[in-house]
Amino acid sequence: MRLVRTDSHNIDFKKLVEELDAYLAITDGEEHEFYDQFNKLNHIKHVVLCYYRDSILAGCGAIKEYDSQTVEVKRMYTVTGFRNMGVASSILKEIEQWTKELSYNRCILETGTRQLEAICLYKSNGYQIIDNYEPYRDALNSLCFEKRIS
């Protein structure tokens, strides 16, 4: 696997986000419009792409500033054929390293309660469930996590 740091202007990232949004439109159902408003790409400066065998696009993830100490993990997605191969965990580790390099000390994220694979991924990578943060505070189908980065 090869990990590449880029930004939201990257064409490969945009392609994966289209796949992710199509997937989430199905799993989120009627709530998709609510969640979609918080997933725009216009302010994402830090994107990690994963390529298999150097050129086959396998997954992505991103971070954006939440506050002066915290980044929010966004747009995590692994292409179906590459799931359960360590792609998402590798992306998370790279995101955490980048977070540290940028002098933030905490990653937070939101996922849907229906996203069982994502919940397992975050728990297995040391993320702890926290109270829902804004803008998800009253979203009943949201589950929020954090991980302290040292």
Side-chain angles (χ1 to χ4, degrees), residues 65-94:
E65 183 177 273
Y66 185 78
D67 64 34
S68 65
Q69 299 297 309
T70 308
V71 295
E72 185 178 21
V73 177
K74 304 295 287 181
R75 313 315 312 196
M76 287 290 298
Y77 180 70
T78 302
V79 174
T80 304
F82 294 100
R83 294 185 182 160
N84 299 312
M85 295 175 62
V87 170
S89 290
S90 294
I91 292 168
L92 269 179
K93 286 177 181 43
E94 185 69 13

PDB file of all heavy atoms in Angstrom, residues 65-94:
ATOM      1  N   GLU A  65      -9.946  21.115  10.691  1.00  0.00           N
ATOM      2  CA  GLU A  65      -9.905  21.684  12.040  1.00  0.00           C
ATOM      3  C   GLU A  65     -11.304  21.797  12.620  1.00  0.00           C
ATOM      4  O   GLU A  65     -12.232  22.277  11.954  1.00  0.00           O
ATOM      5  CB  GLU A  65      -9.237  23.057  12.021  1.00  0.00           C
ATOM      6  CG  GLU A  65      -9.113  23.645  13.420  1.00  0.00           C
ATOM      7  CD  GLU A  65      -8.393  24.965  13.446  1.00  0.00           C
ATOM      8  OE1 GLU A  65      -7.144  24.958  13.541  1.00  0.00           O
ATOM      9  OE2 GLU A  65      -9.087  26.009  13.369  1.00  0.00           O
ATOM     10  N   TYR A  66     -11.438  21.361  13.864  1.00  0.00           N
ATOM     11  CA  TYR A  66     -12.685  21.528  14.616  1.00  0.00           C
ATOM     12  C   TYR A  66     -12.524  22.686  15.606  1.00  0.00           C
ATOM     13  O   TYR A  66     -13.395  23.525  15.733  1.00  0.00           O
ATOM     14  CB  TYR A  66     -13.056  20.240  15.338  1.00  0.00           C
ATOM     15  CG  TYR A  66     -14.389  20.310  16.034  1.00  0.00           C
ATOM     16  CD1 TYR A  66     -15.569  20.179  15.315  1.00  0.00           C
ATOM     17  CD2 TYR A  66     -14.466  20.537  17.405  1.00  0.00           C
ATOM     18  CE1 TYR A  66     -16.804  20.265  15.946  1.00  0.00           C
ATOM     19  CE2 TYR A  66     -15.698  20.614  18.042  1.00  0.00           C
ATOM     20  CZ  TYR A  66     -16.851  20.488  17.316  1.00  0.00           C
ATOM     21  OH  TYR A  66     -18.079  20.573  17.951  1.00  0.00           O
ATOM     22  N   ASP A  67     -11.400  22.691  16.324  1.00  0.00           N
ATOM     23  CA  ASP A  67     -11.026  23.822  17.170  1.00  0.00           C
ATOM     24  C   ASP A  67      -9.500  23.854  17.245  1.00  0.00           C
ATOM     25  O   ASP A  67      -8.836  23.069  16.563  1.00  0.00           O
ATOM     26  CB  ASP A  67     -11.698  23.768  18.551  1.00  0.00           C
ATOM     27  CG  ASP A  67     -11.298  22.577  19.402  1.00  0.00           C
ATOM     28  OD1 ASP A  67     -10.131  22.122  19.331  1.00  0.00           O
ATOM     29  OD2 ASP A  67     -12.143  22.078  20.163  1.00  0.00           O
ATOM     30  N   SER A  68      -8.940  24.727  18.055  1.00  0.00           N
ATOM     31  CA  SER A  68      -7.488  24.933  18.044  1.00  0.00           C
ATOM     32  C   SER A  68      -6.678  23.715  18.483  1.00  0.00           C
ATOM     33  O   SER A  68      -5.492  23.622  18.188  1.00  0.00           O
ATOM     34  CB  SER A  68      -7.120  26.138  18.915  1.00  0.00           C
ATOM     35  OG  SER A  68      -7.449  25.867  20.267  1.00  0.00           O
ATOM     36  N   GLN A  69      -7.307  22.749  19.151  1.00  0.00           N
ATOM     37  CA  GLN A  69      -6.613  21.544  19.614  1.00  0.00           C
ATOM     38  C   GLN A  69      -7.091  20.271  18.925  1.00  0.00           C
ATOM     39  O   GLN A  69      -6.517  19.205  19.122  1.00  0.00           O
ATOM     40  CB  GLN A  69      -6.805  21.389  21.131  1.00  0.00           C
ATOM     41  CG  GLN A  69      -6.243  22.525  21.941  1.00  0.00           C
ATOM     42  CD  GLN A  69      -4.746  22.627  21.790  1.00  0.00           C
ATOM     43  OE1 GLN A  69      -4.030  21.653  21.956  1.00  0.00           O
ATOM     44  NE2 GLN A  69      -4.248  23.810  21.433  1.00  0.00           N
ATOM     45  N   THR A  70      -8.149  20.392  18.116  1.00  0.00           N
ATOM     46  CA  THR A  70      -8.873  19.214  17.642  1.00  0.00           C
ATOM     47  C   THR A  70      -9.098  19.242  16.138  1.00  0.00           C
ATOM     48  O   THR A  70      -9.449  20.283  15.583  1.00  0.00           O
ATOM     49  CB  THR A  70     -10.262  19.152  18.329  1.00  0.00           C
ATOM     50  OG1 THR A  70     -10.078  19.251  19.749  1.00  0.00           O
ATOM     51  CG2 THR A  70     -10.996  17.872  18.001  1.00  0.00           C
ATOM     52  N   VAL A  71      -8.907  18.078  15.509  1.00  0.00           N
ATOM     53  CA  VAL A  71      -9.323  17.900  14.123  1.00  0.00           C
ATOM     54  C   VAL A  71     -10.463  16.893  14.093  1.00  0.00           C
ATOM     55  O   VAL A  71     -10.575  16.027  14.956  1.00  0.00           O
ATOM     56  CB  VAL A  71      -8.176  17.418  13.198  1.00  0.00           C
ATOM     57  CG1 VAL A  71      -7.091  18.470  13.097  1.00  0.00           C
ATOM     58  CG2 VAL A  71      -7.631  16.082  13.624  1.00  0.00           C
ATOM     59  N   GLU A  72     -11.295  17.045  13.072  1.00  0.00           N
ATOM     60  CA  GLU A  72     -12.385  16.101  12.852  1.00  0.00           C
ATOM     61  C   GLU A  72     -12.027  15.217  11.670  1.00  0.00           C
ATOM     62  O   GLU A  72     -11.647  15.711  10.610  1.00  0.00           O
ATOM     63  CB  GLU A  72     -13.690  16.859  12.580  1.00  0.00           C
ATOM     64  CG  GLU A  72     -14.883  15.934  12.452  1.00  0.00           C
ATOM     65  CD  GLU A  72     -16.195  16.677  12.225  1.00  0.00           C
ATOM     66  OE1 GLU A  72     -16.173  17.849  11.776  1.00  0.00           O
ATOM     67  OE2 GLU A  72     -17.242  16.070  12.483  1.00  0.00           O
ATOM     68  N   VAL A  73     -12.125  13.916  11.872  1.00  0.00           N
ATOM     69  CA  VAL A  73     -11.879  12.952  10.805  1.00  0.00           C
ATOM     70  C   VAL A  73     -13.119  12.929   9.920  1.00  0.00           C
ATOM     71  O   VAL A  73     -14.245  12.781  10.407  1.00  0.00           O
ATOM     72  CB  VAL A  73     -11.590  11.546  11.382  1.00  0.00           C
ATOM     73  CG1 VAL A  73     -11.407  10.529  10.264  1.00  0.00           C
ATOM     74  CG2 VAL A  73     -10.366  11.584  12.296  1.00  0.00           C
ATOM     75  N   LYS A  74     -12.901  13.075   8.622  1.00  0.00           N
ATOM     76  CA  LYS A  74     -13.995  13.159   7.659  1.00  0.00           C
ATOM     77  C   LYS A  74     -13.728  12.220   6.485  1.00  0.00           C
ATOM     78  O   LYS A  74     -12.593  11.867   6.207  1.00  0.00           O
ATOM     79  CB  LYS A  74     -14.126  14.592   7.108  1.00  0.00           C
ATOM     80  CG  LYS A  74     -14.308  15.680   8.144  1.00  0.00           C
ATOM     81  CD  LYS A  74     -15.596  15.590   8.904  1.00  0.00           C
ATOM     82  CE  LYS A  74     -16.787  15.986   8.076  1.00  0.00           C
ATOM     83  NZ  LYS A  74     -18.049  15.931   8.815  1.00  0.00           N
ATOM     84  N   ARG A  75     -14.772  11.872   5.775  1.00  0.00           N
ATOM     85  CA  ARG A  75     -14.724  11.217   4.472  1.00  0.00           C
ATOM     86  C   ARG A  75     -13.886   9.931   4.438  1.00  0.00           C
ATOM     87  O   ARG A  75     -13.190   9.656   3.479  1.00  0.00           O
ATOM     88  CB  ARG A  75     -14.243  12.193   3.399  1.00  0.00           C
ATOM     89  CG  ARG A  75     -14.908  13.560   3.398  1.00  0.00           C
ATOM     90  CD  ARG A  75     -16.399  13.574   3.547  1.00  0.00           C
ATOM     91  NE  ARG A  75     -17.071  12.643   2.666  1.00  0.00           N
ATOM     92  CZ  ARG A  75     -18.363  12.654   2.362  1.00  0.00           C
ATOM     93  NH1 ARG A  75     -19.139  13.553   2.877  1.00  0.00           N
ATOM     94  NH2 ARG A  75     -18.888  11.764   1.576  1.00  0.00           N
ATOM     95  N   MET A  76     -13.985   9.146   5.507  1.00  0.00           N
ATOM     96  CA  MET A  76     -13.314   7.843   5.540  1.00  0.00           C
ATOM     97  C   MET A  76     -14.091   6.888   4.639  1.00  0.00           C
ATOM     98  O   MET A  76     -15.308   6.733   4.770  1.00  0.00           O
ATOM     99  CB  MET A  76     -13.282   7.283   6.966  1.00  0.00           C
ATOM    100  CG  MET A  76     -12.313   7.968   7.889  1.00  0.00           C
ATOM    101  SD  MET A  76     -10.579   7.654   7.497  1.00  0.00           S
ATOM    102  CE  MET A  76     -10.457   5.885   7.702  1.00  0.00           C
ATOM    103  N   TYR A  77     -13.368   6.245   3.724  1.00  0.00           N
ATOM    104  CA  TYR A  77     -14.020   5.315   2.805  1.00  0.00           C
ATOM    105  C   TYR A  77     -12.991   4.327   2.269  1.00  0.00           C
ATOM    106  O   TYR A  77     -11.870   4.712   1.930  1.00  0.00           O
ATOM    107  CB  TYR A  77     -14.658   6.074   1.636  1.00  0.00           C
ATOM    108  CG  TYR A  77     -15.361   5.177   0.648  1.00  0.00           C
ATOM    109  CD1 TYR A  77     -16.547   4.524   0.988  1.00  0.00           C
ATOM    110  CD2 TYR A  77     -14.844   4.979  -0.615  1.00  0.00           C
ATOM    111  CE1 TYR A  77     -17.193   3.691   0.084  1.00  0.00           C
ATOM    112  CE2 TYR A  77     -15.490   4.153  -1.532  1.00  0.00           C
ATOM    113  CZ  TYR A  77     -16.663   3.510  -1.174  1.00  0.00           C
ATOM    114  OH  TYR A  77     -17.293   2.691  -2.077  1.00  0.00           O
ATOM    115  N   THR A  78     -13.400   3.069   2.212  1.00  0.00           N
ATOM    116  CA  THR A  78     -12.581   2.029   1.602  1.00  0.00           C
ATOM    117  C   THR A  78     -13.384   1.389   0.483  1.00  0.00           C
ATOM    118  O   THR A  78     -14.549   1.017   0.677  1.00  0.00           O
ATOM    119  CB  THR A  78     -12.182   0.957   2.636  1.00  0.00           C
ATOM    120  OG1 THR A  78     -11.469   1.591   3.712  1.00  0.00           O
ATOM    121  CG2 THR A  78     -11.295  -0.105   2.012  1.00  0.00           C
ATOM    122  N   VAL A  79     -12.777   1.277  -0.682  1.00  0.00           N
ATOM    123  CA  VAL A  79     -13.406   0.632  -1.831  1.00  0.00           C
ATOM    124  C   VAL A  79     -13.761  -0.804  -1.437  1.00  0.00           C
ATOM    125  O   VAL A  79     -12.971  -1.492  -0.775  1.00  0.00           O
ATOM    126  CB  VAL A  79     -12.453   0.655  -3.048  1.00  0.00           C
ATOM    127  CG1 VAL A  79     -13.026  -0.130  -4.207  1.00  0.00           C
ATOM    128  CG2 VAL A  79     -12.150   2.098  -3.443  1.00  0.00           C
ATOM    129  N   THR A  80     -14.934  -1.256  -1.842  1.00  0.00           N
ATOM    130  CA  THR A  80     -15.469  -2.554  -1.419  1.00  0.00           C
ATOM    131  C   THR A  80     -14.454  -3.690  -1.524  1.00  0.00           C
ATOM    132  O   THR A  80     -14.275  -4.456  -0.580  1.00  0.00           O
ATOM    133  CB  THR A  80     -16.736  -2.898  -2.226  1.00  0.00           C
ATOM    134  OG1 THR A  80     -17.673  -1.833  -2.065  1.00  0.00           O
ATOM    135  CG2 THR A  80     -17.352  -4.191  -1.754  1.00  0.00           C
ATOM    136  N   GLY A  81     -13.771  -3.822  -2.614  1.00  0.00           N
ATOM    137  CA  GLY A  81     -12.833  -4.922  -2.815  1.00  0.00           C
ATOM    138  C   GLY A  81     -11.598  -4.890  -1.928  1.00  0.00           C
ATOM    139  O   GLY A  81     -10.850  -5.866  -1.875  1.00  0.00           O
ATOM    140  N   PHE A  82     -11.393  -3.790  -1.199  1.00  0.00           N
ATOM    141  CA  PHE A  82     -10.223  -3.651  -0.344  1.00  0.00           C
ATOM    142  C   PHE A  82     -10.564  -3.638   1.141  1.00  0.00           C
ATOM    143  O   PHE A  82      -9.688  -3.397   1.975  1.00  0.00           O
ATOM    144  CB  PHE A  82      -9.449  -2.377  -0.716  1.00  0.00           C
ATOM    145  CG  PHE A  82      -8.851  -2.446  -2.086  1.00  0.00           C
ATOM    146  CD1 PHE A  82      -9.475  -1.813  -3.152  1.00  0.00           C
ATOM    147  CD2 PHE A  82      -7.704  -3.167  -2.326  1.00  0.00           C
ATOM    148  CE1 PHE A  82      -8.935  -1.879  -4.425  1.00  0.00           C
ATOM    149  CE2 PHE A  82      -7.157  -3.247  -3.599  1.00  0.00           C
ATOM    150  CZ  PHE A  82      -7.774  -2.604  -4.653  1.00  0.00           C
ATOM    151  N   ARG A  83     -11.801  -3.900   1.470  1.00  0.00           N
ATOM    152  CA  ARG A  83     -12.200  -3.908   2.879  1.00  0.00           C
ATOM    153  C   ARG A  83     -11.612  -5.123   3.587  1.00  0.00           C
ATOM    154  O   ARG A  83     -11.360  -6.158   2.980  1.00  0.00           O
ATOM    155  CB  ARG A  83     -13.720  -3.875   2.986  1.00  0.00           C
ATOM    156  CG  ARG A  83     -14.237  -2.545   2.465  1.00  0.00           C
ATOM    157  CD  ARG A  83     -15.697  -2.342   2.625  1.00  0.00           C
ATOM    158  NE  ARG A  83     -16.026  -1.035   2.036  1.00  0.00           N
ATOM    159  CZ  ARG A  83     -17.216  -0.688   1.654  1.00  0.00           C
ATOM    160  NH1 ARG A  83     -18.235  -1.505   1.805  1.00  0.00           N
ATOM    161  NH2 ARG A  83     -17.417   0.499   1.125  1.00  0.00           N
ATOM    162  N   ASN A  84     -11.374  -4.964   4.879  1.00  0.00           N
ATOM    163  CA  ASN A  84     -10.784  -6.009   5.726  1.00  0.00           C
ATOM    164  C   ASN A  84      -9.359  -6.362   5.312  1.00  0.00           C
ATOM    165  O   ASN A  84      -8.897  -7.479   5.533  1.00  0.00           O
ATOM    166  CB  ASN A  84     -11.666  -7.259   5.761  1.00  0.00           C
ATOM    167  CG  ASN A  84     -13.033  -6.967   6.327  1.00  0.00           C
ATOM    168  OD1 ASN A  84     -13.146  -6.340   7.378  1.00  0.00           O
ATOM    169  ND2 ASN A  84     -14.071  -7.378   5.628  1.00  0.00           N
ATOM    170  N   MET A  85      -8.660  -5.405   4.719  1.00  0.00           N
ATOM    171  CA  MET A  85      -7.264  -5.609   4.324  1.00  0.00           C
ATOM    172  C   MET A  85      -6.336  -4.610   5.027  1.00  0.00           C
ATOM    173  O   MET A  85      -5.164  -4.508   4.676  1.00  0.00           O
ATOM    174  CB  MET A  85      -7.120  -5.471   2.800  1.00  0.00           C
ATOM    175  CG  MET A  85      -7.842  -6.536   2.016  1.00  0.00           C
ATOM    176  SD  MET A  85      -7.778  -6.279   0.219  1.00  0.00           S
ATOM    177  CE  MET A  85      -6.024  -6.365  -0.098  1.00  0.00           C
ATOM    178  N   GLY A  86      -6.862  -3.845   5.987  1.00  0.00           N
ATOM    179  CA  GLY A  86      -6.046  -2.884   6.717  1.00  0.00           C
ATOM    180  C   GLY A  86      -5.947  -1.507   6.089  1.00  0.00           C
ATOM    181  O   GLY A  86      -5.216  -0.651   6.588  1.00  0.00           O
ATOM    182  N   VAL A  87      -6.683  -1.270   5.012  1.00  0.00           N
ATOM    183  CA  VAL A  87      -6.632   0.023   4.330  1.00  0.00           C
ATOM    184  C   VAL A  87      -7.086   1.150   5.262  1.00  0.00           C
ATOM    185  O   VAL A  87      -6.369   2.144   5.447  1.00  0.00           O
ATOM    186  CB  VAL A  87      -7.481   0.008   3.038  1.00  0.00           C
ATOM    187  CG1 VAL A  87      -7.642   1.405   2.455  1.00  0.00           C
ATOM    188  CG2 VAL A  87      -6.865  -0.941   2.016  1.00  0.00           C
ATOM    189  N   ALA A  88      -8.252   1.020   5.853  1.00  0.00           N
ATOM    190  CA  ALA A  88      -8.800   2.089   6.692  1.00  0.00           C
ATOM    191  C   ALA A  88      -7.922   2.344   7.918  1.00  0.00           C
ATOM    192  O   ALA A  88      -7.691   3.500   8.290  1.00  0.00           O
ATOM    193  CB  ALA A  88     -10.231   1.756   7.110  1.00  0.00           C
ATOM    194  N   SER A  89      -7.414   1.286   8.532  1.00  0.00           N
ATOM    195  CA  SER A  89      -6.524   1.470   9.688  1.00  0.00           C
ATOM    196  C   SER A  89      -5.243   2.180   9.282  1.00  0.00           C
ATOM    197  O   SER A  89      -4.744   3.038  10.020  1.00  0.00           O
ATOM    198  CB  SER A  89      -6.201   0.114  10.329  1.00  0.00           C
ATOM    199  OG  SER A  89      -7.348  -0.415  10.962  1.00  0.00           O
ATOM    200  N   SER A  90      -4.703   1.856   8.119  1.00  0.00           N
ATOM    201  CA  SER A  90      -3.499   2.536   7.631  1.00  0.00           C
ATOM    202  C   SER A  90      -3.775   4.016   7.392  1.00  0.00           C
ATOM    203  O   SER A  90      -2.950   4.872   7.732  1.00  0.00           O
ATOM    204  CB  SER A  90      -3.005   1.893   6.336  1.00  0.00           C
ATOM    205  OG  SER A  90      -2.571   0.580   6.582  1.00  0.00           O
ATOM    206  N   ILE A  91      -4.919   4.314   6.811  1.00  0.00           N
ATOM    207  CA  ILE A  91      -5.298   5.708   6.579  1.00  0.00           C
ATOM    208  C   ILE A  91      -5.442   6.442   7.907  1.00  0.00           C
ATOM    209  O   ILE A  91      -4.946   7.556   8.069  1.00  0.00           O
ATOM    210  CB  ILE A  91      -6.590   5.795   5.743  1.00  0.00           C
ATOM    211  CG1 ILE A  91      -6.318   5.302   4.321  1.00  0.00           C
ATOM    212  CG2 ILE A  91      -7.141   7.222   5.730  1.00  0.00           C
ATOM    213  CD1 ILE A  91      -7.566   5.072   3.487  1.00  0.00           C
ATOM    214  N   LEU A  92      -6.115   5.810   8.876  1.00  0.00           N
ATOM    215  CA  LEU A  92      -6.283   6.439  10.195  1.00  0.00           C
ATOM    216  C   LEU A  92      -4.936   6.735  10.849  1.00  0.00           C
ATOM    217  O   LEU A  92      -4.736   7.808  11.420  1.00  0.00           O
ATOM    218  CB  LEU A  92      -7.103   5.536  11.117  1.00  0.00           C
ATOM    219  CG  LEU A  92      -8.603   5.737  11.139  1.00  0.00           C
ATOM    220  CD1 LEU A  92      -9.255   4.752  12.094  1.00  0.00           C
ATOM    221  CD2 LEU A  92      -8.997   7.158  11.488  1.00  0.00           C
ATOM    222  N   LYS A  93      -4.019   5.790  10.793  1.00  0.00           N
ATOM    223  CA  LYS A  93      -2.692   6.005  11.391  1.00  0.00           C
ATOM    224  C   LYS A  93      -1.972   7.178  10.721  1.00  0.00           C
ATOM    225  O   LYS A  93      -1.323   7.993  11.395  1.00  0.00           O
ATOM    226  CB  LYS A  93      -1.868   4.724  11.309  1.00  0.00           C
ATOM    227  CG  LYS A  93      -2.304   3.669  12.296  1.00  0.00           C
ATOM    228  CD  LYS A  93      -1.510   2.388  12.138  1.00  0.00           C
ATOM    229  CE  LYS A  93      -1.905   1.278  13.078  1.00  0.00           C
ATOM    230  NZ  LYS A  93      -3.292   1.043  13.298  1.00  0.00           N
ATOM    231  N   GLU A  94      -2.083   7.283   9.406  1.00  0.00           N
ATOM    232  CA  GLU A  94      -1.463   8.403   8.697  1.00  0.00           C
ATOM    233  C   GLU A  94      -2.139   9.722   9.075  1.00  0.00           C
ATOM    234  O   GLU A  94      -1.460  10.748   9.267  1.00  0.00           O
ATOM    235  CB  GLU A  94      -1.528   8.181   7.188  1.00  0.00           C
ATOM    236  CG  GLU A  94      -0.815   9.234   6.372  1.00  0.00           C
ATOM    237  CD  GLU A  94       0.706   9.215   6.510  1.00  0.00           C
ATOM    238  OE1 GLU A  94       1.270   8.234   7.043  1.00  0.00           O
ATOM    239  OE2 GLU A  94       1.337  10.202   6.080  1.00  0.00           O
TER     240      GLU A  94
END
